[in-house]
Amino acid sequence: MIKLTINGKPVEIDVDGDTPLLWVLREQLGLTGTKEGCSRGECGACTVLIDDVPHYACLLLAVEAEGAVITTVEGLGRKGELGMLQAAFVQEDAFQCGYCTPGQIMSVEGLLRKNPDPEIDEIRTAVSGNLCRCGAYSHIFKAAAKAAGSRQK
């Protein structure tokens, strides 16, 4: 049994010692916004925040996250409403197929929690571990900048 805080809620869950956090989130807790892309830490689709820092959930064992505060893409908005960053992604058309979008959003969210007013190069660096096969990067950068500006207001 491990204890985690996921999207603000305490969770106690029974897991095997070799179960990746990704599978606990998706299969045991039903938080399917966190995507499996490569299972090798190469694509970033599974990015979540652990204590406000972006991490690949496919590379982290669930037991290694015990006691941590975990935020998934589902934890950014309020029930039935998109969060500010999620809304900026929609407004700036920062996705095509959408598969990488949750990981991109979580990487940007981690940046904005650390630096609420990043420069474009900082945004590029923040999402450099997230691959978008559709090539929507310029829109992702615009969405991140828009969300940063909205948070400043």
Side-chain angles (χ1 to χ4, degrees), residues 8 32 44-45 71 90 110:
T32 57
T71 306
V90 172

Side-chain angles (χ1 to χ4, degrees), residues 12-151:
E12 190 170 332
I13 192 160
D14 188 19
V15 297
D16 291 332
D18 61 352
T19 304
L21 178 62
L22 172 62
W23 291 112
V24 169
L25 295 172
R26 289 184 59 80
E27 302 299 324
Q28 291 183 263
L29 300 175
L31 298 170
T32 57
T34 306
K35 304 295 184 208
E36 178 193 15
C38 65
S39 291
R40 295 186 305 244
E42 294 176 359
C43 73
C46 66
T47 303
V48 297
L49 299 183
I50 299 177
D51 298 327
D52 291 335
V53 177
H55 288 275
Y56 298 147
C58 72
L59 293 182
L60 188 70
L61 297 177
V63 295
E64 293 176 300
E66 183 162 22
V69 174
I70 299 167
T71 306
T72 69
V73 71
E74 292 94 343
L76 297 183
R78 282 178 263 187
K79 193 169 188 156
E81 294 181 26
L82 295 176
M84 188 180 304
L85 179 57
Q86 294 163 316
F89 265 66
V90 172
Q91 293 161 1
E92 293 299 325
D93 198 25
F95 53 88
Q96 284 183 34
C97 80
Y99 201 82
C100 73
T101 305
Q104 300 277 3
I105 288 172
M106 296 312 296
S107 291
V108 172
E109 180 69 23
L111 169 65
L112 296 179
R113 288 185 182 191
K114 183 175 80 174
N115 177 5
D117 189 24
E119 299 292 327
I120 190 69
D121 287 339
E122 293 171 292
I123 294 168
R124 285 185 176 129
T125 299
V127 298
S128 65
N130 298 79
L131 301 178
C132 174
R133 293 189 66 192
C134 302
Y137 294 109
S138 63
H139 294 274
I140 291 166
F141 303 151
K142 288 177 190 174
K146 182 176 197 156
S150 296
R151 287 185 182 189

